[in-house]
Amino acid sequence: MRELRIRMLVGVFVIAGVLSWAGARLWNSVGTLPSVPLAAPIVLAIIAVILLSTALSIRSRLKAQRERDPEAKGVDPLMAARAVVFGQASALVAALVAGMYGGTGVVLLESLDIPARRDQAIYAGFSVVAAIGVIAAALFLERVCKLPDDEDDHDGTGAAPTT
């Protein structure tokens, strides 16, 4: 399994942000602007908490295994691989959503004197912050599930996440 590259996440964020900004400016010229739902930052924060709790759980179980704790529960490799895939997918979607709400938020910054637009800008800002939290938690989960370097690895690829 390939590691998630931060450059790719930044690229998705930037492209989504530019397209969202352009679309929001065009939509705003008509007189309306799509709204940013209040639930967006809440859902993203919940996903970040789930990813972080999964990473901490796996990390503690792996630590107990390394210390040869007799009551240690093992980590199923398939479960770890599924967690990594969920984290990678969540990070990609979060980068897309962060760019989308970031671009819309930049357009909303032009009209902060209107209370409804100010609220929408705040929701967009919290959505971007929560999406960054999802990305950070997903990268942490990926790092926790990463196999140690294999000394017999001759093709130079190094370690890969658990598959």
Side-chain angles (χ1 to χ4, degrees):
M1 185 179 299
R2 301 179 99 188
E3 286 186 28
L4 198 57
R5 299 198 188 279
I6 294 178
R7 282 184 300 199
M8 184 177 60
L9 295 174
V10 170
V12 168
F13 171 77
V14 169
I15 290 170
V18 168
L19 291 175
S20 178
W21 173 80
R25 297 234 351 140
L26 181 64
W27 205 324
N28 193 30
S29 68
V30 175
T32 62
L33 194 62
S35 65
V36 179
L38 174 62
I42 296 168
V43 169
L44 288 167
I46 290 170
I47 293 171
V49 167
I50 290 170
L51 287 170
L52 184 61
S53 64
T54 302
L56 293 174
S57 172
I58 291 173
R59 185 176 75 164
S60 68
R61 290 167 71 180
L62 288 172
K63 182 181 177 190
Q65 271 184 308
R66 277 192 305 271
E67 294 174 353
R68 308 233 188 260
D69 185 359
E71 297 176 12
K73 289 177 66 175
V75 176
D76 179 28
L78 188 57
M79 189 271 307
R82 287 178 181 157
V84 170
V85 169
F86 173 63
Q88 288 180 344
S90 297
L92 286 169
V93 170
L96 182 67
V97 168
M100 186 179 74
Y101 287 135
T104 303
V106 169
V107 172
L108 288 168
L109 289 176
E110 298 171 357
S111 55
L112 289 178
D113 53 336
I114 302 169
R117 295 267 176 119
R118 181 176 44 247
D119 292 344
Q120 294 295 306
I122 290 169
Y123 300 157
F126 282 140
S127 295
V128 171
V129 170
I132 291 170
V134 168
I135 292 169
L139 291 174
F140 178 63
L141 175 62
E142 186 178 58
R143 179 173 287 267
V144 165
C145 292
K146 187 174 182 177
L147 292 173
D149 287 334
D150 185 7
E151 294 180 16
D152 296 332
D153 187 13
H154 297 293
D155 63 354
T157 58
T162 303
T163 55

